Amino acid sequence: MHVPIDYDTLRVIWWALLGILLIGFAVFDGFDLGTAILLPFLGRSDMERRILINSIGPVWEGNQVWFILGGGASFAAWPPVYAASFSGFYVAMFVTLLALILRPVAFKFRGKVDNALWRSVWDWALFIGGLAPALIFGVAFGNLLQGVPFRFDAELRAVYTGGFFQLLNPFALLCGLVSVAMLVMHGAAYVQAKTIEPIAGRARRAGMIASIVTLVLFALGGVYAYSMLDGYAITSQIAANAPSNPLRKTVEVATGAWMRNYERFPWSPAAPLLGLVGALLAAVMFALRREVAAFVMSAASVVGIVATPGLAMFPFIMPSSSEPNASLTAWDASSSHLTLYVMLIAVVIFLPIVLAYTAWVYRVLRGKVPSHIFEPGGHAY
Amino acid sequence: MDVAELSRLQFALTALYHFLFVPLTLGLSVLLAIMESVYVMTGLRVWRDMTIFWGILFGINFAMGVATGITMEFQFGTNWSYYSQYVGDVFGAPLAIEGLMAFFLEATFIGLFFFGWDRLSKPGHLAVTWCVALGSNFSALWILVANAWMQNPVGSRFNPDTIRMEVTDFLAVLFNPVAQSKFVHTVAAGYVTGAIFVLAIGAWYLLHGRHRAFARRSMTVAASFGLASALSVVVLGDESGYVTTENQKVKLAAMEGLWRAEPPPAAFTIFGIPDPERRETRYAIQAPWMLGLIATRSLTTVIPGIYELVDAAKTRIGRGVEAYGAMRSLTSAEPSADMRKTIEERQGDLGYALLLRRYTDDPAKATPEQIERAAWDTIPNVPVIFWSFRVMVALGFYFIALFAVMFYVSSRRAFERRRWLLRLAFWSLPLPWIAAELGWIVAEYGRQPWIIEGVLPTFLAASPIPAANVWLSLVGFFIFYSALLVVDLFLMAKYVRLGPAETWEIPDLATRQAPPGGVALDDVAHG
């Protein structure tokens, strides 16, 4: 089959699509996770918690597909990344999966029995189901930025050489906190827009605090990355059209290497800037009670914050700290030319359709959580 | 147990749990769409009550299906990283398209199915319900396209530069004959599951004299839909068996307990005790000609037995060793054109050389005993496959009989006069799940030792991770899933006992707009 797009171009497109899927996950499922984290703090009675849960009730299921699609797309487009990351982060991934298993059943089961203990168990399940993924994804990004200890054998079998607790280093934990603060900000913006007083007022205060915390922690991470963090750079000739085999290049480790893309591409500092300014403006909009604007600003901040490490690392996707030459990059960790092309066709056809009906569903469900769904015979969680 | 064994156990456990929920999702989603279609066409309230009630049970089941399904997708990366690296180029694509095309559709609209009753017009809500049903069926299609490639790896080749399998013909992967036959067989089995579920619970209501009009109508839909589905399962299952003869001769021989080829046409063994120690099937009761007809649709084609297939495997191991040697030389030294040519010609047998890796690090130095053992490794567990297959088929025929009788009785409107039949329908409730799980065992356990038939042995595909990690997740998933299953069954039973409320209140779109401020807490706090 003739493929009308060059391999190197397709690889950049798929690198960008991986980023778009991650951003889609963070923006859409992010407010679900944030709302779940806020559940014990904003909902003081059973009815208030029901309102919070029902604010995301009709949409969380579709939102979660961004995560599932992110997994599927990295499997299809970046198989070595999928293989090395999930087996390397085995225990972290196991905890994440437990959290994500808890969510669907907690949503569905909570309202089905009228018992305080029963409901409190599922409330905590939702809280953990929101907090654990938010924290772990941030920690994972923190580790990606530092490099992950893995190597390949001669048959390209990825072997992880680190331990679980190694993942919990100070910089990674800082990234985890950025992620939690960011999603709490985003969740608070959503809750503020979908509920009425007194919940909306509590969400507003929580949102203001979370925006400022996000701003400070993200800036702190940037300062650390600029001054102390080792980055990676390819030192051999780059063969952007070569077959995907990560063992055929040399890589150096240098402090500040992650900043080089920001000098090379003058537009790219827009990402961290968006992260910072978005969080700042979100705080302002929370204060001004501008519900829609606060949500848009927190979403913008999320986009900027997720895009920042991605742009800094390009073309690296998963650097190896124990054997830098084995690092996985956009040029040597992709699927074949044909697979990338076929998958691109699928994305070009289906992603606009998905976005269109998702938009329609949100339109149908617009407005604050209506009260009549809580009456007998209504359809609420 | 080593990591590969533990990972297999974990995959089997999570897949069997997941498959408790998938068939019911498939079947109920279509039944809901049918019931709501009747409601929209007739305007009769009982049909809306049916959609809502079965929808509640659907929702509980769907949540468990999603929860257990998430684990499945990520297990390839966590536990089978070499598999992911080796075949991700081919296998990942249908999985990703499943998310993009099917799961998004299903998951986005299921929220609106529950929350959209008062926000959508009647046809609007019906369209949403059909989207959910369509999504769940598309989902099965893409998953089975991916699975079929594991059974029959078409449209791909080994690339020595990247040391993995890559797609050469995507349409061949998509239109894999195994995928087509598996899809229709699996989906029809899901419809049977949904139909028996509705039938059994309806029968329980009639036995207790509750919700009569509701139960009778539900059972009528279930009986007719179930009869058509059960017939399809058997006919399409036969087609699936026919396709198996083409490319998985070992699986077929194991299903039949056929140790040595017989002169055609081969007899079908109705009963027998396969004995893997003595490599024969004892006490066999046979139906002459039947296997030849089912498996080859001819009376003259020879069906090879296990002994013949082991001999064939030995030959392929020998040829595969040459390809393996060439591949090794490519990764260690300057690639030579000769070596590339050897791989090109012998790559179809490369997987057979990999079987030797269980016994030696260098297949080129394998002893004849090791080759003999590797060849016998290609034979799956015969008694398990033999019996799983027979019980599954027997259940398939039982479903046809049950639905046929039910269909007849429902057309005579005589359900309540035949209490024994209602009892039979109720006690049939667990049977479709047993059939579905056995079908999974025949298809997947019957594929061992291959994770991809003829291409990659299962034991090589596992992640190189500490066994302790897999023990942790295996025990964790088992406890977690079992606890959730208990809760799930408890809730299902609770809602079945509650039954459909004869007067579901769905606020009318015209009269019940949400107040502009949304919830007034004082109003709902007592609700």
Side-chain angles (χ1 to χ4, degrees), chain A residues 68 72 82 90 112 155 157 196 245 336 339 357 364 369 372, chain B residues 62 73 79 82 89 105 114 118-119 161 460 473 494 517 519:
Chain A
I68 291 165
Y82 177 82
Y90 192 91
K112 294 271 188 283
E155 288 175 317
R157 189 181 306 268
I196 53 153
N245 188 325
S336 63
T339 297
Y357 63 59
V364 170
V369 176
H372 64 258
Chain B
F62 184 81
E73 184 190 353
N79 291 68
Y82 196 55
D89 193 81
L105 187 69
F114 289 106
D118 58 336
R119 291 186 175 237
D161 290 319
L460 279 181
S473 58
K494 176 186 159 165
V519 177

PDB file of all heavy atoms in Angstrom, chain A residues 68 72 82 90 112 155 157 196 245 336 339 357 364 369 372, chain B residues 62 73 79 82 89 105 114 118-119 161 460 473 494 517 519:
ATOM      1  N   ILE A  68      -8.659   5.408  28.201  1.00  0.00           N
ATOM      2  CA  ILE A  68      -8.607   4.106  27.531  1.00  0.00           C
ATOM      3  C   ILE A  68      -8.057   4.277  26.118  1.00  0.00           C
ATOM      4  O   ILE A  68      -7.240   3.480  25.646  1.00  0.00           O
ATOM      5  CB  ILE A  68     -10.013   3.475  27.545  1.00  0.00           C
ATOM      6  CG1 ILE A  68     -10.353   3.089  28.990  1.00  0.00           C
ATOM      7  CG2 ILE A  68     -10.110   2.275  26.619  1.00  0.00           C
ATOM      8  CD1 ILE A  68     -11.790   2.799  29.244  1.00  0.00           C
ATOM      9  N   GLY A  72      -4.787   2.730  24.289  1.00  0.00           N
ATOM     10  CA  GLY A  72      -4.883   2.024  23.010  1.00  0.00           C
ATOM     11  C   GLY A  72      -4.026   2.672  21.942  1.00  0.00           C
ATOM     12  O   GLY A  72      -3.341   1.995  21.167  1.00  0.00           O
ATOM     13  N   TYR A  82       4.624   1.869  25.161  1.00  0.00           N
ATOM     14  CA  TYR A  82       3.553   1.188  25.891  1.00  0.00           C
ATOM     15  C   TYR A  82       4.139   0.020  26.678  1.00  0.00           C
ATOM     16  O   TYR A  82       3.846  -0.164  27.870  1.00  0.00           O
ATOM     17  CB  TYR A  82       2.521   0.697  24.873  1.00  0.00           C
ATOM     18  CG  TYR A  82       1.371  -0.102  25.421  1.00  0.00           C
ATOM     19  CD1 TYR A  82       0.263   0.522  25.984  1.00  0.00           C
ATOM     20  CD2 TYR A  82       1.377  -1.496  25.358  1.00  0.00           C
ATOM     21  CE1 TYR A  82      -0.803  -0.209  26.463  1.00  0.00           C
ATOM     22  CE2 TYR A  82       0.320  -2.238  25.833  1.00  0.00           C
ATOM     23  CZ  TYR A  82      -0.773  -1.587  26.380  1.00  0.00           C
ATOM     24  OH  TYR A  82      -1.822  -2.325  26.860  1.00  0.00           O
ATOM     25  N   TYR A  90       4.999  -1.078  36.981  1.00  0.00           N
ATOM     26  CA  TYR A  90       4.001  -2.125  37.242  1.00  0.00           C
ATOM     27  C   TYR A  90       3.141  -1.854  38.483  1.00  0.00           C
ATOM     28  O   TYR A  90       1.911  -1.844  38.410  1.00  0.00           O
ATOM     29  CB  TYR A  90       4.698  -3.489  37.392  1.00  0.00           C
ATOM     30  CG  TYR A  90       3.733  -4.655  37.371  1.00  0.00           C
ATOM     31  CD1 TYR A  90       3.404  -5.279  36.177  1.00  0.00           C
ATOM     32  CD2 TYR A  90       3.131  -5.113  38.542  1.00  0.00           C
ATOM     33  CE1 TYR A  90       2.513  -6.333  36.146  1.00  0.00           C
ATOM     34  CE2 TYR A  90       2.230  -6.165  38.513  1.00  0.00           C
ATOM     35  CZ  TYR A  90       1.922  -6.769  37.316  1.00  0.00           C
ATOM     36  OH  TYR A  90       1.030  -7.808  37.279  1.00  0.00           O
ATOM     37  N   LYS A 112     -27.617   3.041  45.300  1.00  0.00           N
ATOM     38  CA  LYS A 112     -28.549   1.933  45.174  1.00  0.00           C
ATOM     39  C   LYS A 112     -29.006   1.369  46.526  1.00  0.00           C
ATOM     40  O   LYS A 112     -29.925   0.568  46.574  1.00  0.00           O
ATOM     41  CB  LYS A 112     -27.917   0.800  44.341  1.00  0.00           C
ATOM     42  CG  LYS A 112     -27.650   1.179  42.872  1.00  0.00           C
ATOM     43  CD  LYS A 112     -28.847   0.874  42.002  1.00  0.00           C
ATOM     44  CE  LYS A 112     -28.538   1.058  40.523  1.00  0.00           C
ATOM     45  NZ  LYS A 112     -28.516   2.471  40.120  1.00  0.00           N
ATOM     46  N   GLU A 155      17.078  -8.735  21.692  1.00  0.00           N
ATOM     47  CA  GLU A 155      15.814  -8.985  20.983  1.00  0.00           C
ATOM     48  C   GLU A 155      14.776  -7.905  21.281  1.00  0.00           C
ATOM     49  O   GLU A 155      13.582  -8.098  21.063  1.00  0.00           O
ATOM     50  CB  GLU A 155      15.263 -10.357  21.376  1.00  0.00           C
ATOM     51  CG  GLU A 155      16.072 -11.492  20.784  1.00  0.00           C
ATOM     52  CD  GLU A 155      15.598 -12.856  21.286  1.00  0.00           C
ATOM     53  OE1 GLU A 155      15.322 -12.985  22.498  1.00  0.00           O
ATOM     54  OE2 GLU A 155      15.510 -13.765  20.465  1.00  0.00           O
ATOM     55  N   ARG A 157      13.797  -6.706  24.172  1.00  0.00           N
ATOM     56  CA  ARG A 157      12.948  -6.944  25.337  1.00  0.00           C
ATOM     57  C   ARG A 157      13.274  -5.855  26.347  1.00  0.00           C
ATOM     58  O   ARG A 157      14.417  -5.721  26.761  1.00  0.00           O
ATOM     59  CB  ARG A 157      13.260  -8.322  25.896  1.00  0.00           C
ATOM     60  CG  ARG A 157      12.328  -8.821  26.983  1.00  0.00           C
ATOM     61  CD  ARG A 157      12.795 -10.188  27.449  1.00  0.00           C
ATOM     62  NE  ARG A 157      12.921 -11.103  26.333  1.00  0.00           N
ATOM     63  CZ  ARG A 157      11.949 -11.913  25.909  1.00  0.00           C
ATOM     64  NH1 ARG A 157      10.799 -11.934  26.528  1.00  0.00           N
ATOM     65  NH2 ARG A 157      12.137 -12.699  24.870  1.00  0.00           N
ATOM     66  N   ILE A 196     -25.396  24.980  42.649  1.00  0.00           N
ATOM     67  CA  ILE A 196     -25.810  26.268  43.224  1.00  0.00           C
ATOM     68  C   ILE A 196     -25.263  26.355  44.645  1.00  0.00           C
ATOM     69  O   ILE A 196     -24.664  25.430  45.149  1.00  0.00           O
ATOM     70  CB  ILE A 196     -27.349  26.392  43.235  1.00  0.00           C
ATOM     71  CG1 ILE A 196     -27.946  25.163  43.931  1.00  0.00           C
ATOM     72  CG2 ILE A 196     -27.876  26.541  41.841  1.00  0.00           C
ATOM     73  CD1 ILE A 196     -29.268  25.441  44.544  1.00  0.00           C
ATOM     74  N   ASN A 245      14.089   1.126  15.810  1.00  0.00           N
ATOM     75  CA  ASN A 245      14.937   0.292  16.651  1.00  0.00           C
ATOM     76  C   ASN A 245      15.741   1.216  17.544  1.00  0.00           C
ATOM     77  O   ASN A 245      16.647   1.915  17.070  1.00  0.00           O
ATOM     78  CB  ASN A 245      15.854  -0.576  15.775  1.00  0.00           C
ATOM     79  CG  ASN A 245      16.610  -1.585  16.602  1.00  0.00           C
ATOM     80  OD1 ASN A 245      16.987  -1.309  17.739  1.00  0.00           O
ATOM     81  ND2 ASN A 245      16.844  -2.758  16.031  1.00  0.00           N
ATOM     82  N   SER A 336       5.123   0.950  12.469  1.00  0.00           N
ATOM     83  CA  SER A 336       5.601   1.042  11.091  1.00  0.00           C
ATOM     84  C   SER A 336       4.906   2.192  10.364  1.00  0.00           C
ATOM     85  O   SER A 336       3.865   2.695  10.794  1.00  0.00           O
ATOM     86  CB  SER A 336       5.337  -0.269  10.374  1.00  0.00           C
ATOM     87  OG  SER A 336       3.946  -0.494  10.312  1.00  0.00           O
ATOM     88  N   THR A 339       1.213   1.382   9.573  1.00  0.00           N
ATOM     89  CA  THR A 339       0.295   1.416  10.726  1.00  0.00           C
ATOM     90  C   THR A 339       0.002   2.854  11.144  1.00  0.00           C
ATOM     91  O   THR A 339      -1.151   3.205  11.405  1.00  0.00           O
ATOM     92  CB  THR A 339       0.895   0.636  11.908  1.00  0.00           C
ATOM     93  OG1 THR A 339       1.026  -0.729  11.525  1.00  0.00           O
ATOM     94  CG2 THR A 339       0.006   0.712  13.131  1.00  0.00           C
ATOM     95  N   TYR A 357     -20.395  14.582  18.770  1.00  0.00           N
ATOM     96  CA  TYR A 357     -21.489  14.101  19.626  1.00  0.00           C
ATOM     97  C   TYR A 357     -21.231  14.367  21.099  1.00  0.00           C
ATOM     98  O   TYR A 357     -22.172  14.536  21.868  1.00  0.00           O
ATOM     99  CB  TYR A 357     -21.909  12.659  19.325  1.00  0.00           C
ATOM    100  CG  TYR A 357     -20.923  11.536  19.524  1.00  0.00           C
ATOM    101  CD1 TYR A 357     -20.337  11.263  20.756  1.00  0.00           C
ATOM    102  CD2 TYR A 357     -20.609  10.691  18.458  1.00  0.00           C
ATOM    103  CE1 TYR A 357     -19.473  10.200  20.917  1.00  0.00           C
ATOM    104  CE2 TYR A 357     -19.733   9.631  18.606  1.00  0.00           C
ATOM    105  CZ  TYR A 357     -19.165   9.388  19.836  1.00  0.00           C
ATOM    106  OH  TYR A 357     -18.314   8.343  19.998  1.00  0.00           O
ATOM    107  N   VAL A 364     -27.036  19.105  25.535  1.00  0.00           N
ATOM    108  CA  VAL A 364     -28.288  18.568  26.068  1.00  0.00           C
ATOM    109  C   VAL A 364     -28.309  18.665  27.592  1.00  0.00           C
ATOM    110  O   VAL A 364     -29.331  18.961  28.199  1.00  0.00           O
ATOM    111  CB  VAL A 364     -28.468  17.089  25.617  1.00  0.00           C
ATOM    112  CG1 VAL A 364     -29.625  16.444  26.361  1.00  0.00           C
ATOM    113  CG2 VAL A 364     -28.707  17.022  24.114  1.00  0.00           C
ATOM    114  N   VAL A 369     -27.248  21.251  37.910  1.00  0.00           N
ATOM    115  CA  VAL A 369     -27.848  19.946  38.213  1.00  0.00           C
ATOM    116  C   VAL A 369     -29.310  20.167  38.600  1.00  0.00           C
ATOM    117  O   VAL A 369     -29.584  20.879  39.562  1.00  0.00           O
ATOM    118  CB  VAL A 369     -27.107  19.265  39.369  1.00  0.00           C
ATOM    119  CG1 VAL A 369     -27.799  17.958  39.740  1.00  0.00           C
ATOM    120  CG2 VAL A 369     -25.663  19.014  38.994  1.00  0.00           C
ATOM    121  N   HIS A 372     -35.194  17.843  40.035  1.00  0.00           N
ATOM    122  CA  HIS A 372     -36.211  16.786  39.961  1.00  0.00           C
ATOM    123  C   HIS A 372     -35.625  15.397  39.771  1.00  0.00           C
ATOM    124  O   HIS A 372     -36.311  14.411  39.966  1.00  0.00           O
ATOM    125  CB  HIS A 372     -37.217  17.089  38.856  1.00  0.00           C
ATOM    126  CG  HIS A 372     -36.625  17.095  37.477  1.00  0.00           C
ATOM    127  ND1 HIS A 372     -36.334  18.251  36.806  1.00  0.00           N
ATOM    128  CD2 HIS A 372     -36.243  16.081  36.686  1.00  0.00           C
ATOM    129  CE1 HIS A 372     -35.795  17.942  35.633  1.00  0.00           C
ATOM    130  NE2 HIS A 372     -35.726  16.644  35.537  1.00  0.00           N
TER     131      HIS A 372
ATOM    132  N   PHE B  62     -23.220  -2.930  33.338  1.00  0.00           N
ATOM    133  CA  PHE B  62     -22.298  -2.189  32.473  1.00  0.00           C
ATOM    134  C   PHE B  62     -21.136  -1.625  33.284  1.00  0.00           C
ATOM    135  O   PHE B  62     -19.977  -1.671  32.848  1.00  0.00           O
ATOM    136  CB  PHE B  62     -23.055  -1.055  31.773  1.00  0.00           C
ATOM    137  CG  PHE B  62     -22.217  -0.299  30.787  1.00  0.00           C
ATOM    138  CD1 PHE B  62     -22.005  -0.804  29.517  1.00  0.00           C
ATOM    139  CD2 PHE B  62     -21.631   0.918  31.125  1.00  0.00           C
ATOM    140  CE1 PHE B  62     -21.238  -0.116  28.599  1.00  0.00           C
ATOM    141  CE2 PHE B  62     -20.850   1.613  30.207  1.00  0.00           C
ATOM    142  CZ  PHE B  62     -20.664   1.095  28.944  1.00  0.00           C
ATOM    143  N   GLU B  73      -7.134  -4.029  28.988  1.00  0.00           N
ATOM    144  CA  GLU B  73      -6.342  -3.285  28.011  1.00  0.00           C
ATOM    145  C   GLU B  73      -4.926  -3.029  28.506  1.00  0.00           C
ATOM    146  O   GLU B  73      -3.973  -3.133  27.745  1.00  0.00           O
ATOM    147  CB  GLU B  73      -7.015  -1.948  27.689  1.00  0.00           C
ATOM    148  CG  GLU B  73      -6.251  -1.201  26.612  1.00  0.00           C
ATOM    149  CD  GLU B  73      -6.720   0.218  26.409  1.00  0.00           C
ATOM    150  OE1 GLU B  73      -7.732   0.614  26.995  1.00  0.00           O
ATOM    151  OE2 GLU B  73      -6.054   0.933  25.656  1.00  0.00           O
ATOM    152  N   ASN B  79       1.841  -6.837  31.937  1.00  0.00           N
ATOM    153  CA  ASN B  79       2.256  -8.233  32.101  1.00  0.00           C
ATOM    154  C   ASN B  79       2.822  -8.886  30.848  1.00  0.00           C
ATOM    155  O   ASN B  79       3.463  -9.918  30.925  1.00  0.00           O
ATOM    156  CB  ASN B  79       1.071  -9.075  32.570  1.00  0.00           C
ATOM    157  CG  ASN B  79       0.656  -8.738  33.977  1.00  0.00           C
ATOM    158  OD1 ASN B  79       0.160  -7.639  34.205  1.00  0.00           O
ATOM    159  ND2 ASN B  79       0.899  -9.621  34.905  1.00  0.00           N
ATOM    160  N   TYR B  82       6.661  -7.982  26.246  1.00  0.00           N
ATOM    161  CA  TYR B  82       7.332  -8.416  25.013  1.00  0.00           C
ATOM    162  C   TYR B  82       6.319  -8.703  23.914  1.00  0.00           C
ATOM    163  O   TYR B  82       6.571  -8.453  22.745  1.00  0.00           O
ATOM    164  CB  TYR B  82       8.230  -9.636  25.252  1.00  0.00           C
ATOM    165  CG  TYR B  82       9.203  -9.814  24.097  1.00  0.00           C
ATOM    166  CD1 TYR B  82      10.036  -8.762  23.709  1.00  0.00           C
ATOM    167  CD2 TYR B  82       9.267 -10.993  23.374  1.00  0.00           C
ATOM    168  CE1 TYR B  82      10.895  -8.885  22.633  1.00  0.00           C
ATOM    169  CE2 TYR B  82      10.142 -11.122  22.291  1.00  0.00           C
ATOM    170  CZ  TYR B  82      10.946 -10.060  21.928  1.00  0.00           C
ATOM    171  OH  TYR B  82      11.791 -10.180  20.861  1.00  0.00           O
ATOM    172  N   ASP B  89       2.486  -3.321  16.639  1.00  0.00           N
ATOM    173  CA  ASP B  89       2.267  -2.689  15.337  1.00  0.00           C
ATOM    174  C   ASP B  89       0.978  -3.197  14.675  1.00  0.00           C
ATOM    175  O   ASP B  89       0.307  -2.461  13.968  1.00  0.00           O
ATOM    176  CB  ASP B  89       3.473  -2.978  14.433  1.00  0.00           C
ATOM    177  CG  ASP B  89       3.464  -2.114  13.196  1.00  0.00           C
ATOM    178  OD1 ASP B  89       3.889  -0.965  13.292  1.00  0.00           O
ATOM    179  OD2 ASP B  89       2.989  -2.589  12.135  1.00  0.00           O
ATOM    180  N   LEU B 105     -18.560   5.970  21.685  1.00  0.00           N
ATOM    181  CA  LEU B 105     -19.983   6.050  21.342  1.00  0.00           C
ATOM    182  C   LEU B 105     -20.834   5.499  22.490  1.00  0.00           C
ATOM    183  O   LEU B 105     -21.763   6.146  22.973  1.00  0.00           O
ATOM    184  CB  LEU B 105     -20.213   5.236  20.058  1.00  0.00           C
ATOM    185  CG  LEU B 105     -21.578   5.308  19.406  1.00  0.00           C
ATOM    186  CD1 LEU B 105     -21.809   6.682  18.819  1.00  0.00           C
ATOM    187  CD2 LEU B 105     -21.700   4.256  18.307  1.00  0.00           C
ATOM    188  N   PHE B 114     -29.455   7.308  30.752  1.00  0.00           N
ATOM    189  CA  PHE B 114     -30.034   7.393  32.095  1.00  0.00           C
ATOM    190  C   PHE B 114     -30.526   8.791  32.425  1.00  0.00           C
ATOM    191  O   PHE B 114     -31.551   8.954  33.075  1.00  0.00           O
ATOM    192  CB  PHE B 114     -29.004   6.948  33.144  1.00  0.00           C
ATOM    193  CG  PHE B 114     -28.744   5.468  33.095  1.00  0.00           C
ATOM    194  CD1 PHE B 114     -27.566   4.972  32.575  1.00  0.00           C
ATOM    195  CD2 PHE B 114     -29.703   4.585  33.532  1.00  0.00           C
ATOM    196  CE1 PHE B 114     -27.339   3.607  32.514  1.00  0.00           C
ATOM    197  CE2 PHE B 114     -29.495   3.215  33.481  1.00  0.00           C
ATOM    198  CZ  PHE B 114     -28.312   2.730  32.968  1.00  0.00           C
ATOM    199  N   ASP B 118     -35.832  13.107  30.377  1.00  0.00           N
ATOM    200  CA  ASP B 118     -36.646  14.318  30.400  1.00  0.00           C
ATOM    201  C   ASP B 118     -36.009  15.462  29.612  1.00  0.00           C
ATOM    202  O   ASP B 118     -36.504  16.570  29.625  1.00  0.00           O
ATOM    203  CB  ASP B 118     -36.907  14.753  31.840  1.00  0.00           C
ATOM    204  CG  ASP B 118     -35.620  14.983  32.585  1.00  0.00           C
ATOM    205  OD1 ASP B 118     -34.595  14.388  32.176  1.00  0.00           O
ATOM    206  OD2 ASP B 118     -35.613  15.747  33.562  1.00  0.00           O
ATOM    207  N   ARG B 119     -34.893  15.189  28.959  1.00  0.00           N
ATOM    208  CA  ARG B 119     -34.233  16.265  28.224  1.00  0.00           C
ATOM    209  C   ARG B 119     -34.286  16.041  26.726  1.00  0.00           C
ATOM    210  O   ARG B 119     -33.847  16.891  25.953  1.00  0.00           O
ATOM    211  CB  ARG B 119     -32.778  16.384  28.651  1.00  0.00           C
ATOM    212  CG  ARG B 119     -32.630  16.909  30.075  1.00  0.00           C
ATOM    213  CD  ARG B 119     -31.208  17.152  30.419  1.00  0.00           C
ATOM    214  NE  ARG B 119     -31.094  17.759  31.725  1.00  0.00           N
ATOM    215  CZ  ARG B 119     -30.488  18.923  31.940  1.00  0.00           C
ATOM    216  NH1 ARG B 119     -29.962  19.592  30.948  1.00  0.00           N
ATOM    217  NH2 ARG B 119     -30.409  19.405  33.161  1.00  0.00           N
ATOM    218  N   ASP B 161      14.718  -5.700  10.950  1.00  0.00           N
ATOM    219  CA  ASP B 161      15.335  -4.455  11.414  1.00  0.00           C
ATOM    220  C   ASP B 161      14.753  -3.983  12.746  1.00  0.00           C
ATOM    221  O   ASP B 161      15.440  -3.370  13.554  1.00  0.00           O
ATOM    222  CB  ASP B 161      15.143  -3.348  10.374  1.00  0.00           C
ATOM    223  CG  ASP B 161      15.967  -3.619   9.136  1.00  0.00           C
ATOM    224  OD1 ASP B 161      17.120  -4.062   9.288  1.00  0.00           O
ATOM    225  OD2 ASP B 161      15.450  -3.432   8.030  1.00  0.00           O
ATOM    226  N   LEU B 460       7.278 -16.759  26.143  1.00  0.00           N
ATOM    227  CA  LEU B 460       8.265 -15.725  25.803  1.00  0.00           C
ATOM    228  C   LEU B 460       7.684 -14.317  25.874  1.00  0.00           C
ATOM    229  O   LEU B 460       8.413 -13.335  25.862  1.00  0.00           O
ATOM    230  CB  LEU B 460       8.783 -15.946  24.381  1.00  0.00           C
ATOM    231  CG  LEU B 460       9.879 -16.980  24.172  1.00  0.00           C
ATOM    232  CD1 LEU B 460      10.260 -17.012  22.701  1.00  0.00           C
ATOM    233  CD2 LEU B 460      11.101 -16.651  25.022  1.00  0.00           C
ATOM    234  N   SER B 473      -0.514  -8.355  42.226  1.00  0.00           N
ATOM    235  CA  SER B 473      -1.654  -7.923  41.411  1.00  0.00           C
ATOM    236  C   SER B 473      -2.659  -9.054  41.242  1.00  0.00           C
ATOM    237  O   SER B 473      -3.870  -8.822  41.243  1.00  0.00           O
ATOM    238  CB  SER B 473      -1.175  -7.423  40.049  1.00  0.00           C
ATOM    239  OG  SER B 473      -0.461  -8.418  39.370  1.00  0.00           O
ATOM    240  N   LYS B 494     -31.418  -7.362  44.460  1.00  0.00           N
ATOM    241  CA  LYS B 494     -32.256  -6.383  45.145  1.00  0.00           C
ATOM    242  C   LYS B 494     -33.226  -5.707  44.154  1.00  0.00           C
ATOM    243  O   LYS B 494     -34.405  -5.566  44.427  1.00  0.00           O
ATOM    244  CB  LYS B 494     -31.366  -5.326  45.805  1.00  0.00           C
ATOM    245  CG  LYS B 494     -32.161  -4.212  46.459  1.00  0.00           C
ATOM    246  CD  LYS B 494     -31.305  -3.090  46.991  1.00  0.00           C
ATOM    247  CE  LYS B 494     -32.198  -1.854  47.134  1.00  0.00           C
ATOM    248  NZ  LYS B 494     -31.622  -0.797  47.934  1.00  0.00           N
ATOM    249  N   GLY B 517     -32.274  28.280  38.686  1.00  0.00           N
ATOM    250  CA  GLY B 517     -31.179  28.193  39.644  1.00  0.00           C
ATOM    251  C   GLY B 517     -30.732  26.774  39.905  1.00  0.00           C
ATOM    252  O   GLY B 517     -29.833  26.551  40.685  1.00  0.00           O
ATOM    253  N   VAL B 519     -30.905  23.145  41.538  1.00  0.00           N
ATOM    254  CA  VAL B 519     -31.455  22.480  42.715  1.00  0.00           C
ATOM    255  C   VAL B 519     -31.748  23.486  43.821  1.00  0.00           C
ATOM    256  O   VAL B 519     -30.927  24.328  44.145  1.00  0.00           O
ATOM    257  CB  VAL B 519     -30.438  21.460  43.235  1.00  0.00           C
ATOM    258  CG1 VAL B 519     -30.963  20.801  44.496  1.00  0.00           C
ATOM    259  CG2 VAL B 519     -30.161  20.436  42.180  1.00  0.00           C
TER     260      VAL B 519
END
